[in-house]
Amino acid sequence: MSRAVLSLGSNIGDRAANLNGALATLRAAGARVVAVSPVYATAPWGGVEQDEFLNAVVVVEDPASRPQDWLARARAAESRAGRTRDVRWGPRTLDVDVIDVDGTTSDDPRLTLPHPRAHERAFVLIPWLDVDPDARITGRGRAADLLAALPDAERDGVRRDAAELAGPR
């Protein structure tokens, strides 16, 4: 069974609808959604002036999928949402990052696993811990310990939002 952890983010348009659209695209591509975190509002990351994001983490499974298949599904969801890649870390309708696939490692330039910056992003760690309190990042350690090591300002910038996503089915 291939199990992946994906981080979803949106800060353009109907952000909650964009996140739900990503879930619909994943399901339509044959992924079983195992868990969906609560939605969090977060300040933008990367130094580009823009609106705040809504973020969530989903855990998905598909027995036939490899890491590159999860990346293809992520890109398909982004494309369906009208994602453009004009400015690095800039505003986007949808961002789907592959954080982990079965604890594997990869240095492929198209898909580095685990995600190379997940361990320093509270907007990934907090929702991931909501759906998997024992989460680990291969080569980095327990997600809870990594979150605790982040500066208070990084953790405090992640606030629970009222938006809801379509959970597992």
Side-chain angles (χ1 to χ4, degrees), residues 18-157:
N18 292 336
L19 299 181
N20 273 308
L23 290 171
T25 300
L26 291 165
R27 287 183 175 111
R32 184 171 80 84
V33 176
V34 176
V36 178
S37 77
V39 177
Y40 289 86
T42 62
W45 199 93
V48 176
E49 189 68 31
Q50 58 191 304
D51 293 333
E52 75 177 5
F53 279 82
L54 288 186
N55 290 97
V57 164
V58 298
V59 177
V60 289
E61 291 181 342
D62 181 353
S65 290
R66 299 174 325 230
Q68 291 297 334
D69 298 325
W70 292 115
L71 179 62
R73 287 175 171 162
R75 295 299 171 258
E78 291 174 346
S79 179
R80 181 174 177 256
R83 164 81 187 260
T84 59
R85 295 179 183 276
D86 301 326
V87 178
R88 185 171 189 188
W89 294 320
R92 45 212 177 267
T93 54
L94 183 64
D95 185 35
V96 181
D97 287 334
V98 179
I99 304 301
D100 179 79
V101 179
D102 297 320
T104 60
T105 59
S106 169
D107 290 329
D108 183 321
R110 292 173 293 145
L111 179 60
T112 304
L113 288 173
H115 188 284
R117 290 172 297 283
H119 67 283
E120 59 191 29
R121 293 183 172 167
F123 66 83
V124 170
L125 297 171
I126 290 171
W128 189 4
L129 287 165
D130 282 338
V131 296
D132 184 0
D134 297 322
R136 299 185 67 79
I137 297 180
T138 302
R140 298 280 183 186
R142 290 176 4 106
D145 295 337
L146 297 167
L147 178 63
L150 292 177
D152 289 342
E154 177 76 15
R155 291 189 310 270
D156 294 345

